[in-house]
Amino acid sequence: MTETVFSEPQVFRDIATLQQHLTEVRQEGRKVALVPTMGALHEGHLALVRKALKEAQEVVVTIFVNPKQFGPNEDLASYPRDEETDLKALGKLGKVTVFIPGVEEMYSGDFSTFVDEAQLSKGLCGVSRPQFFRGVLTIVGKLFNIVRPDIAIFGQKDAQQAAVIQKMVRDLHFGVEIITLPTVREEDGLAMSSRNQYLSKAQREEAQALSKSLFEAKEMVEQGVRSTDRVIAEVTHLLAQHRRVRLIYAQVIDTETLEPCREIVPGQSLLALAAWVDQVRLIDNIRL
Ligand code: AMP
């Protein structure tokens, strides 16, 4: 059976034309939702777009591999890009507007202004990727200003990113409502990620250890364990059994403040981890 194609997405590549379109949209009184992505879309992204289509009459999906959030030795050049497949997947969901700017459109040669959050962004991934959240906030701030959405939708898969964006919105009065949706997983538990494409079969199997260790931690908390040390010790132990997996961090933190917790508070604590599976950096988290 072939899937129904609802409509070809309307694609914009330059800011001025997109804004012209959005001016008309707003004149018609339509609510605007923004879903920022770096493309190579999977079910995790599509869940965000489906939610946007339910919440708003105009859905803008952006596809932009943002160079400013990659470090010099990271995977900017090899990051998966497949515009045609992305547009097909979006077209099947309903009527969406897609913004796919080139790098020059977003960053003029003399670009020199950045958004830097000084607290929540400095721990966890901020330690090993010091340029990352500055790049993310700068591009998301730009997209908020370009699109001026009523709502913007992000994934809990990137829990620290969602918290840091929420903080930027509050601190800088962006006037957009942030909605965060649960992580979409593969059948075996692996959190969906565009970077999963990098994994060989053997690496893919070892990568399962990440979500397995998170589920094990949740199970411990359900059994009554409240000690962060015990949970982290178990997670570290489980991951250490996998030759290809090298832990970057595993931390229990408060879901909102991202402050480390010594005691787990069910519903309020989050276990977040990042690990290398050989040369592929993956992150995942679970609410305990
Ligand atoms: P990315 O293309 O990786 O920058 O992600 C774009 C958006 O999709 C971000 O808000 C991510 O948090 C979200 N996202 C990525 N993977 C998943 C997933 N497995 N489940 C839910 N949301 C996701």
Side-chain angles (χ1 to χ4, degrees):
M1 211 174 79
T2 53
E3 277 192 75
T4 320
V5 175
F6 289 99
S7 54
E8 284 280 305
Q10 192 171 7
V11 177
F12 293 92
R13 296 183 193 272
D14 70 278
I15 297 168
T17 326
L18 173 72
Q19 286 189 315
Q20 243 170 31
H21 166 73
L22 290 172
T23 301
E24 286 163 26
V25 163
R26 270 188 291 269
Q27 276 165 359
E28 292 162 10
R30 283 150 70 186
K31 186 173 172 181
V32 180
L34 172 68
V35 183
T37 82
M38 298 208 297
L41 301 181
H42 50 66
E43 273 303 314
H45 296 116
L46 301 184
L48 309 186
V49 180
R50 283 194 196 96
K51 172 73 173 171
L53 285 163
K54 277 201 196 117
E55 297 288 326
Q57 293 81 47
E58 171 75 14
V59 171
V60 181
V61 177
T62 64
I63 298 178
F64 181 63
V65 182
N66 173 32
K68 305 271 186 226
Q69 70 192 62
F70 287 78
N73 300 314
E74 294 183 356
D75 56 342
L76 173 63
S78 59
Y79 195 85
R81 293 162 169 89
D82 189 351
E83 189 180 305
E84 205 185 313
T85 309
D86 287 348
L87 291 176
K88 258 192 211 149
L90 290 171
K92 286 179 187 164
L93 300 182
K95 190 181 161 299
V96 287
T97 296
V98 189
F99 180 46
I100 315 179
V103 173
E104 323 68 50
E105 184 67 7
M106 296 308 279
Y107 299 112
S108 56
D110 62 349
F111 185 87
S112 61
T113 306
F114 291 84
V115 183
D116 190 19
E117 192 283 328
Q119 269 176 3
L120 306 188
S121 71
K122 300 305 169 191
L124 304 167
C125 283
V127 175
S128 46
R129 303 186 76 191
Q131 75 300 320
F132 178 68
F133 289 110
R134 182 181 193 248
V136 167
L137 291 181
T138 301
I139 194 66
V140 171
K142 281 169 71 77
L143 291 172
F144 284 169
N145 283 332
I146 291 166
V147 175
R148 296 204 281 117
D150 299 287
I151 61 174
I153 309 190
F154 296 88
Q156 180 66 18
K157 154 90 179 358
D158 301 276
Q160 186 181 14
Q161 171 173 285
V164 169
I165 289 169
Q166 181 69 263
K167 188 68 177 17
M168 172 183 79
V169 165
R170 260 198 286 142
D171 284 351
L172 300 184
H173 309 276
F174 269 100
V176 48
E177 182 194 346
I178 303 297
I179 297 178
T180 310
L181 294 192
T183 302
V184 177
R185 298 179 178 281
E186 301 285 356
E187 256 176 41
D188 63 8
L190 179 69
M192 287 195 182
S193 162
S194 305
R195 290 192 166 96
N196 293 349
Q197 290 186 29
Y198 296 143
L199 299 169
S200 69
K201 194 159 171 282
Q203 292 166 339
R204 173 73 181 69
E205 271 169 28
E206 295 249 303
Q208 273 184 50
L210 272 64
S211 56
K212 283 215 171 111
S213 70
L214 295 179
F215 299 148
E216 176 62 30
K218 191 170 173 63
E219 179 73 29
M220 286 173 77
V221 173
E222 277 163 11
Q223 304 281 325
V225 176
R226 295 291 177 268
S227 154
T228 292
D229 283 354
R230 275 193 61 195
V231 168
I232 296 295
E234 183 62 20
V235 166
T236 323
H237 171 69
L238 287 174
L239 293 176
Q241 293 167 24
H242 296 268
R243 191 172 63 82
R244 296 172 190 276
V245 178
R246 275 159 298 140
L247 190 61
I248 301 167
Y249 66 77
Q251 269 189 46
V252 177
I253 50 175
D254 180 89
T255 45
E256 277 154 44
T257 64
L258 306 186
E259 290 287 329
C261 332
R262 274 183 53 200
E263 287 289 307
I264 291 158
V265 183
Q268 190 58 39
S269 302
L270 188 84
L271 170 57
L273 59 79
W276 292 102
V277 178
D278 290 336
Q279 79 293 0
V280 184
R281 190 184 190 280
L282 298 177
I283 58 170
D284 201 350
N285 67 79
I286 200 163
R287 204 181 267 254
L288 294 173

